[in-house]
Amino acid sequence: MKCDICKSKDAVIYQPYSGRRLCKDCFIDDVRRRVREEAEKQGILKANKVLLAVSGGKDSLTLADTLASIVNPKKLIAFNIVEGISGYNRKEAAMKLKKYLDDLGIELISSSFKEEVGYSLDEMISSSKNRGLNIAACTFCGGFRRKLINNAGWKVKADLVATGHNLDDEAQTIIVNLLRGDIKRLVRLGDVPLKLSDRFVLRVKPLRKVYEWETTMYAYFKGFEFQDVECPYISQKPTLRARVRDLLYLIEEKNPGSLMRIVEEFDLISDNIKNNTSREELPRCKICGDPTSYGRDICKNCELLIKSGLMDQKYLFMS
Protein backbone atom coordinates (compact mmCIF):
# COMPACT_ATOMS: atom_id res chain seq x y z
CA MET A 1 0.00 0.00 0.00
CA LYS A 2 1.32 3.44 -0.98
CA CYS A 3 1.80 6.42 1.29
CA ASP A 4 -1.29 8.65 1.52
CA ILE A 5 0.86 11.80 1.24
CA CYS A 6 3.50 11.22 -1.43
CA LYS A 7 1.53 8.47 -3.27
CA SER A 8 4.80 6.92 -4.45
CA LYS A 9 6.61 5.17 -1.58
CA ASP A 10 5.34 2.19 0.37
CA ALA A 11 3.54 3.04 3.61
CA VAL A 12 5.26 1.70 6.73
CA ILE A 13 3.19 3.28 9.48
CA TYR A 14 -0.47 3.90 10.26
CA GLN A 15 -1.76 6.90 12.23
CA PRO A 16 -5.00 5.76 13.91
CA TYR A 17 -6.02 9.31 14.83
CA SER A 18 -5.68 10.64 11.26
CA GLY A 19 -6.54 7.47 9.36
CA ARG A 20 -3.47 7.95 7.15
CA ARG A 21 -0.82 5.46 6.09
CA LEU A 22 2.61 7.06 5.68
CA CYS A 23 6.02 6.13 4.35
CA LYS A 24 9.07 6.67 6.52
CA ASP A 25 10.05 10.01 4.98
CA CYS A 26 6.55 11.47 5.06
CA PHE A 27 6.10 10.37 8.67
CA ILE A 28 9.33 12.12 9.70
CA ASP A 29 8.28 15.24 7.78
CA ASP A 30 4.85 15.14 9.43
CA VAL A 31 6.37 15.04 12.94
CA ARG A 32 8.77 17.86 12.08
CA ARG A 33 5.91 19.94 10.68
CA ARG A 34 4.00 19.74 13.96
CA VAL A 35 7.13 20.53 15.96
CA ARG A 36 7.83 23.53 13.75
CA GLU A 37 4.27 24.83 14.21
CA GLU A 38 4.59 24.61 18.00
CA ALA A 39 8.12 26.05 17.93
CA GLU A 40 6.87 29.05 15.98
CA LYS A 41 3.99 29.70 18.40
CA GLN A 42 6.32 29.31 21.39
CA GLY A 43 8.98 31.71 20.13
CA ILE A 44 11.71 29.14 19.56
CA LEU A 45 12.39 30.24 16.01
CA LYS A 46 13.19 33.79 17.18
CA ALA A 47 15.19 32.82 20.29
CA ASN A 48 18.94 33.43 20.45
CA LYS A 49 19.58 30.50 22.75
CA VAL A 50 17.43 27.54 23.82
CA LEU A 51 18.31 25.02 26.53
CA LEU A 52 17.12 21.48 25.76
CA ALA A 53 16.37 19.27 28.77
CA VAL A 54 17.51 15.82 27.59
CA SER A 55 17.65 12.41 29.22
CA GLY A 56 18.76 10.10 26.43
CA GLY A 57 15.27 8.70 25.98
CA LYS A 58 13.21 8.69 22.78
CA ASP A 59 11.47 11.98 23.55
CA SER A 60 14.60 14.01 24.20
CA LEU A 61 16.38 12.55 21.16
CA THR A 62 13.36 13.39 19.00
CA LEU A 63 13.29 16.87 20.55
CA ALA A 64 16.94 17.49 19.71
CA ASP A 65 16.74 16.08 16.19
CA THR A 66 13.55 17.90 15.17
CA LEU A 67 14.67 21.27 16.55
CA ALA A 68 18.12 20.90 14.95
CA SER A 69 16.30 20.46 11.62
CA ILE A 70 14.49 23.82 11.89
CA VAL A 71 16.88 26.10 13.82
CA ASN A 72 20.66 26.60 13.86
CA PRO A 73 22.03 23.87 16.20
CA LYS A 74 24.53 26.43 17.56
CA LYS A 75 21.57 28.15 19.23
CA LEU A 76 20.76 24.94 21.12
CA ILE A 77 22.42 23.72 24.33
CA ALA A 78 21.45 20.33 25.73
CA PHE A 79 21.33 19.76 29.48
CA ASN A 80 21.35 16.30 31.07
CA ILE A 81 20.68 15.48 34.74
CA VAL A 82 21.85 12.38 36.58
CA GLU A 83 19.26 11.84 39.29
CA GLY A 84 21.18 9.12 41.08
CA ILE A 85 18.96 6.04 40.70
CA SER A 86 20.61 2.66 41.08
CA GLY A 87 20.53 0.78 37.74
CA TYR A 88 19.21 3.82 35.88
CA ASN A 89 20.96 6.61 33.91
CA ARG A 90 23.61 4.15 32.83
CA LYS A 91 27.01 5.46 31.72
CA GLU A 92 26.76 3.87 28.26
CA ALA A 93 23.43 5.63 27.66
CA ALA A 94 25.03 8.98 28.51
CA MET A 95 27.87 8.30 26.07
CA LYS A 96 25.41 7.50 23.26
CA LEU A 97 23.48 10.67 24.04
CA LYS A 98 26.64 12.76 23.74
CA LYS A 99 27.52 11.16 20.40
CA TYR A 100 24.07 11.85 18.92
CA LEU A 101 24.18 15.46 20.08
CA ASP A 102 27.72 15.92 18.77
CA ASP A 103 26.56 14.64 15.37
CA LEU A 104 23.74 17.20 15.42
CA GLY A 105 26.15 19.99 16.37
CA ILE A 106 24.53 20.55 19.77
CA GLU A 107 26.64 21.25 22.84
CA LEU A 108 25.93 19.07 25.90
CA ILE A 109 26.33 20.10 29.53
CA SER A 110 25.36 17.99 32.52
CA SER A 111 24.88 17.98 36.27
CA SER A 112 23.42 15.77 38.98
CA PHE A 113 21.22 15.86 42.06
CA LYS A 114 24.25 14.92 44.13
CA GLU A 115 26.29 17.84 42.80
CA GLU A 116 23.56 20.50 42.92
CA VAL A 117 21.41 19.43 45.88
CA GLY A 118 23.90 17.42 47.91
CA TYR A 119 21.93 14.16 47.74
CA SER A 120 21.08 11.61 45.06
CA LEU A 121 17.44 10.69 44.51
CA ASP A 122 18.10 7.28 46.11
CA GLU A 123 19.47 9.04 49.20
CA MET A 124 16.43 11.36 49.38
CA ILE A 125 14.02 8.41 49.17
CA SER A 126 15.99 6.38 51.70
CA SER A 127 16.07 9.23 54.20
CA SER A 128 12.34 9.93 53.84
CA LYS A 129 11.49 6.23 54.30
CA ASN A 130 13.65 6.07 57.43
CA ARG A 131 11.43 8.82 58.84
CA GLY A 132 8.30 6.86 58.03
CA LEU A 133 7.24 9.25 55.27
CA ASN A 134 5.14 8.06 52.36
CA ILE A 135 6.44 10.41 49.65
CA ALA A 136 6.55 9.25 46.03
CA ALA A 137 9.93 9.36 44.30
CA CYS A 138 8.33 11.39 41.50
CA THR A 139 7.54 14.14 44.03
CA PHE A 140 11.23 14.52 44.83
CA CYS A 141 12.45 13.98 41.27
CA GLY A 142 10.02 16.27 39.45
CA GLY A 143 10.63 19.24 41.71
CA PHE A 144 14.40 19.04 41.78
CA ARG A 145 14.63 18.35 38.03
CA ARG A 146 12.66 21.54 37.36
CA LYS A 147 14.94 23.44 39.75
CA LEU A 148 18.16 22.23 38.11
CA ILE A 149 16.84 22.79 34.59
CA ASN A 150 15.78 26.34 35.41
CA ASN A 151 19.15 27.07 37.06
CA ALA A 152 20.96 25.74 33.99
CA GLY A 153 18.84 27.98 31.78
CA TRP A 154 19.91 30.99 33.86
CA LYS A 155 23.57 30.03 33.75
CA VAL A 156 23.72 29.78 29.97
CA LYS A 157 21.46 32.85 29.52
CA ALA A 158 18.86 30.88 27.58
CA ASP A 159 15.77 32.66 26.29
CA LEU A 160 13.75 29.46 26.61
CA VAL A 161 13.98 25.97 28.07
CA ALA A 162 12.54 23.25 25.80
CA THR A 163 11.49 19.93 27.32
CA GLY A 164 10.62 16.65 25.63
CA HIS A 165 7.07 16.41 26.98
CA ASN A 166 4.91 14.78 24.30
CA LEU A 167 1.17 14.79 23.60
CA ASP A 168 0.53 11.97 26.07
CA ASP A 169 2.34 13.88 28.83
CA GLU A 170 0.41 17.07 28.08
CA ALA A 171 -3.00 15.36 28.09
CA GLN A 172 -2.15 13.62 31.38
CA THR A 173 -1.07 16.92 32.95
CA ILE A 174 -4.32 18.59 31.96
CA ILE A 175 -6.46 15.78 33.41
CA VAL A 176 -4.39 15.46 36.60
CA ASN A 177 -4.70 19.18 37.35
CA LEU A 178 -8.43 19.11 36.59
CA LEU A 179 -8.86 16.21 39.02
CA ARG A 180 -6.94 18.16 41.65
CA GLY A 181 -8.89 21.33 40.93
CA ASP A 182 -5.57 23.13 40.48
CA ILE A 183 -6.60 26.02 38.25
CA LYS A 184 -3.42 28.00 38.93
CA ARG A 185 -1.29 25.20 37.50
CA LEU A 186 -3.61 24.91 34.51
CA VAL A 187 -2.95 28.58 33.82
CA ARG A 188 0.69 27.75 33.05
CA LEU A 189 -0.26 25.22 30.37
CA GLY A 190 -1.39 25.79 26.82
CA ASP A 191 0.38 26.29 23.51
CA VAL A 192 1.92 29.55 24.77
CA PRO A 193 2.87 29.05 28.46
CA LEU A 194 2.54 31.85 30.99
CA LYS A 195 5.58 33.23 32.83
CA LEU A 196 4.78 34.04 36.46
CA SER A 197 8.25 34.93 37.75
CA ASP A 198 11.31 36.76 36.47
CA ARG A 199 13.34 33.99 38.09
CA PHE A 200 11.88 31.41 35.71
CA VAL A 201 13.26 30.78 32.25
CA LEU A 202 10.09 30.20 30.24
CA ARG A 203 9.60 26.50 29.50
CA VAL A 204 8.17 25.35 26.17
CA LYS A 205 7.13 21.96 24.83
CA PRO A 206 7.71 21.59 21.07
CA LEU A 207 6.54 17.93 21.09
CA ARG A 208 3.19 18.62 22.73
CA LYS A 209 1.28 17.71 19.55
CA VAL A 210 3.25 14.48 18.92
CA TYR A 211 2.07 11.18 20.41
CA GLU A 212 4.51 9.18 22.52
CA TRP A 213 4.31 6.24 20.11
CA GLU A 214 5.27 8.67 17.35
CA THR A 215 8.39 9.82 19.18
CA THR A 216 9.28 6.14 19.57
CA MET A 217 8.87 5.49 15.85
CA TYR A 218 10.69 8.71 14.94
CA ALA A 219 13.67 7.68 17.06
CA TYR A 220 13.54 4.18 15.57
CA PHE A 221 13.43 5.44 11.97
CA LYS A 222 16.36 7.79 12.70
CA GLY A 223 18.39 4.88 14.05
CA PHE A 224 18.68 6.17 17.62
CA GLU A 225 19.49 3.68 20.35
CA PHE A 226 17.62 5.21 23.25
CA GLN A 227 17.28 4.35 26.90
CA ASP A 228 14.04 2.36 27.17
CA VAL A 229 14.32 1.23 30.81
CA GLU A 230 11.47 2.67 32.86
CA CYS A 231 12.38 4.31 36.12
CA PRO A 232 12.15 1.61 38.83
CA TYR A 233 10.35 3.93 41.21
CA ILE A 234 7.29 4.17 38.92
CA SER A 235 6.41 0.48 39.28
CA GLN A 236 7.12 0.53 43.01
CA LYS A 237 4.53 3.21 43.72
CA PRO A 238 2.20 4.19 40.86
CA THR A 239 1.26 7.86 41.01
CA LEU A 240 -2.01 9.56 40.11
CA ARG A 241 -0.39 10.46 36.78
CA ALA A 242 0.38 6.78 36.09
CA ARG A 243 -3.23 5.82 36.78
CA VAL A 244 -4.50 8.66 34.57
CA ARG A 245 -2.07 7.56 31.85
CA ASP A 246 -3.46 4.01 31.85
CA LEU A 247 -7.04 5.28 31.71
CA LEU A 248 -6.30 7.68 28.84
CA TYR A 249 -4.64 4.89 26.87
CA LEU A 250 -7.80 2.79 27.17
CA ILE A 251 -9.87 5.74 25.91
CA GLU A 252 -7.42 6.41 23.06
CA GLU A 253 -7.51 2.77 22.00
CA LYS A 254 -11.31 2.83 21.65
CA ASN A 255 -11.46 6.38 20.29
CA PRO A 256 -8.27 7.25 18.35
CA GLY A 257 -7.46 10.94 18.53
CA SER A 258 -8.89 11.45 22.04
CA LEU A 259 -5.61 12.68 23.49
CA MET A 260 -5.11 15.09 20.60
CA ARG A 261 -8.63 16.45 21.10
CA ILE A 262 -8.05 16.95 24.85
CA VAL A 263 -4.97 19.08 24.17
CA GLU A 264 -6.46 20.98 21.24
CA GLU A 265 -9.69 21.76 23.11
CA PHE A 266 -7.72 22.87 26.15
CA ASP A 267 -5.68 25.22 23.97
CA LEU A 268 -8.91 26.82 22.78
CA ILE A 269 -10.01 27.64 26.32
CA SER A 270 -6.59 28.29 27.88
CA ASP A 271 -6.53 31.94 26.83
CA ASN A 272 -9.88 32.48 28.53
CA ILE A 273 -8.56 30.85 31.72
CA LYS A 274 -5.47 33.07 31.66
CA ASN A 275 -7.47 36.23 31.08
CA ASN A 276 -9.68 35.50 34.08
CA THR A 277 -6.99 34.38 36.53
CA SER A 278 -4.62 36.45 38.66
CA ARG A 279 -1.11 36.79 37.23
CA GLU A 280 0.75 38.27 40.18
CA GLU A 281 4.44 37.43 40.58
CA LEU A 282 5.11 34.17 42.39
CA PRO A 283 6.58 34.58 45.91
CA ARG A 284 10.19 33.56 46.65
CA CYS A 285 11.26 30.73 48.96
CA LYS A 286 12.82 32.16 52.12
CA ILE A 287 15.47 29.43 52.09
CA CYS A 288 16.71 28.98 48.51
CA GLY A 289 15.25 32.10 46.90
CA ASP A 290 13.54 30.21 44.08
CA PRO A 291 9.92 30.98 43.16
CA THR A 292 7.33 29.02 45.11
CA SER A 293 3.56 28.58 45.03
CA TYR A 294 1.19 31.32 46.13
CA GLY A 295 0.69 31.33 49.90
CA ARG A 296 3.94 29.48 50.64
CA ASP A 297 7.04 30.87 52.38
CA ILE A 298 9.13 27.76 51.68
CA CYS A 299 9.20 25.95 48.34
CA LYS A 300 8.22 22.30 48.03
CA ASN A 301 11.81 21.22 47.40
CA CYS A 302 13.14 22.75 50.61
CA GLU A 303 10.14 21.43 52.54
CA LEU A 304 10.87 17.90 51.31
CA LEU A 305 14.52 18.13 52.40
CA ILE A 306 13.48 19.39 55.83
CA LYS A 307 10.86 16.69 56.37
CA SER A 308 13.31 14.01 55.20
CA GLY A 309 15.91 15.17 57.71
CA LEU A 310 18.30 16.42 55.03
CA MET A 311 18.01 20.10 55.96
CA ASP A 312 18.02 21.89 59.31
CA GLN A 313 14.69 21.38 61.10
CA LYS A 314 14.57 25.03 62.26
CA TYR A 315 13.37 26.12 58.80
CA LEU A 316 10.04 24.40 59.40
CA PHE A 317 9.04 27.18 61.76
CA MET A 318 9.38 29.74 58.96
CA SER A 319 6.36 28.35 57.10
Side-chain angles (χ1 to χ4, degrees):
M1 187 171 293
K2 297 300 181 182
C3 172
D4 288 331
I5 294 181
C6 70
K7 311 293 186 182
S8 59
K9 298 176 183 175
D10 290 335
V12 296
I13 201 163
Y14 174 66
Q15 289 178 326
Y17 64 92
S18 71
R20 298 185 304 183
R21 290 172 172 81
L22 308 178
C23 67
K24 172 184 170 181
D25 292 338
C26 287
F27 170 75
I28 289 175
D29 288 344
D30 183 57
V31 170
R32 287 180 173 178
R33 174 188 59 78
R34 278 175 279 158
V35 172
R36 184 182 184 88
E37 288 176 355
E38 292 304 304
E40 188 169 7
K41 285 187 287 186
Q42 296 167 2
I44 293 176
L45 302 186
K46 296 180 180 179
N48 292 316
K49 187 175 294 185
V50 180
L51 185 80
L52 310 183
V54 298
S55 65
K58 61 189 184 310
D59 296 326
S60 57
L61 289 171
T62 299
L63 173 71
D65 190 81
T66 53
L67 287 185
S69 72
I70 59 178
V71 301
N72 187 338
K74 292 183 179 180
K75 293 184 177 183
L76 307 175
I77 299 179
F79 177 58
N80 178 241
I81 300 172
V82 176
E83 296 92 349
I85 304 171
S86 180
Y88 197 58
N89 293 130
R90 298 186 301 267
K91 183 177 180 181
E92 58 269 25
M95 292 175 64
K96 287 179 181 177
L97 172 62
K98 186 177 187 313
K99 182 183 183 305
Y100 291 139
L101 294 171
D102 284 345
D103 290 342
L104 291 171
I106 300 174
E107 178 187 355
L108 173 65
I109 59 176
S110 63
S111 189
S112 67
F113 280 9
K114 187 74 172 180
E115 179 182 347
E116 299 285 341
V117 184
Y119 305 96
S120 68
L121 182 59
D122 282 348
E123 289 171 337
M124 295 179 195
I125 300 304
S126 176
S127 185
S128 68
K129 284 183 177 179
N130 289 339
R131 290 199 155 210
L133 301 177
N134 189 30
I135 302 174
C138 294
T139 302
F140 282 98
C141 189
F144 283 106
R145 278 186 60 84
R146 287 189 290 272
K147 179 185 179 73
L148 267 62
I149 290 170
N150 189 66
N151 289 347
W154 270 100
K155 289 178 182 177
V156 302
K157 296 181 173 58
D159 301 305
L160 300 167
V161 167
T163 65
H165 292 90
N166 55 50
L167 177 68
D168 302 38
D169 299 322
E170 193 77 341
Q172 292 160 22
T173 298
I174 292 169
I175 298 302
V176 165
N177 284 304
L178 283 173
L179 291 174
R180 289 174 174 165
D182 198 337
I183 300 300
K184 289 187 176 180
R185 284 193 181 274
L186 279 170
V187 169
R188 304 178 198 178
L189 300 177
D191 50 358
V192 183
L194 185 65
K195 186 173 182 177
L196 295 174
S197 173
D198 288 337
R199 283 292 302 166
F200 279 146
V201 180
L202 188 64
R203 291 201 307 161
V204 294
K205 305 171 185 177
L207 303 183
R208 65 189 300 275
K209 293 292 181 65
V210 182
Y211 277 90
E212 182 172 5
W213 71 264
E214 291 181 303
T215 66
T216 301
M217 294 309 300
Y218 185 99
Y220 171 74
F221 286 146
K222 294 295 292 185
F224 297 142
E225 293 182 48
F226 50 86
Q227 178 171 291
D228 58 357
V229 178
E230 189 174 62
C231 174
Y233 285 117
I234 292 179
S235 58
Q236 290 177 17
K237 185 179 180 182
T239 60
L240 173 61
R241 176 179 287 274
R243 293 191 287 271
V244 166
R245 176 190 64 186
D246 293 342
L247 176 61
L248 288 178
Y249 284 163
L250 288 174
I251 296 172
E252 179 72 22
E253 183 179 358
K254 293 184 179 298
N255 299 281
S258 293
L259 299 191
M260 183 73 78
R261 287 190 290 275
I262 288 173
V263 174
E264 289 180 339
E265 288 300 318
F266 178 79
D267 285 352
L268 291 176
I269 65 173
S270 64
D271 285 343
N272 185 51
I273 294 176
K274 291 172 184 176
N275 292 335
N276 291 280
T277 305
S278 174
R279 296 192 186 188
E280 67 266 23
E281 180 90 0
L282 289 171
R284 298 278 191 88
C285 174
K286 290 184 177 179
I287 298 176
C288 69
D290 283 350
T292 185
S293 301
Y294 299 112
R296 294 181 64 104
D297 291 325
I298 298 176
C299 71
K300 187 66 174 180
N301 289 334
C302 289
E303 181 185 274
L304 287 170
L305 292 179
I306 293 168
K307 288 183 176 179
S308 301
L310 300 174
M311 184 182 285
D312 198 321
Q313 190 80 9
K314 68 181 181 181
Y315 289 119
L316 275 176
F317 299 104
M318 297 174 61
S319 59

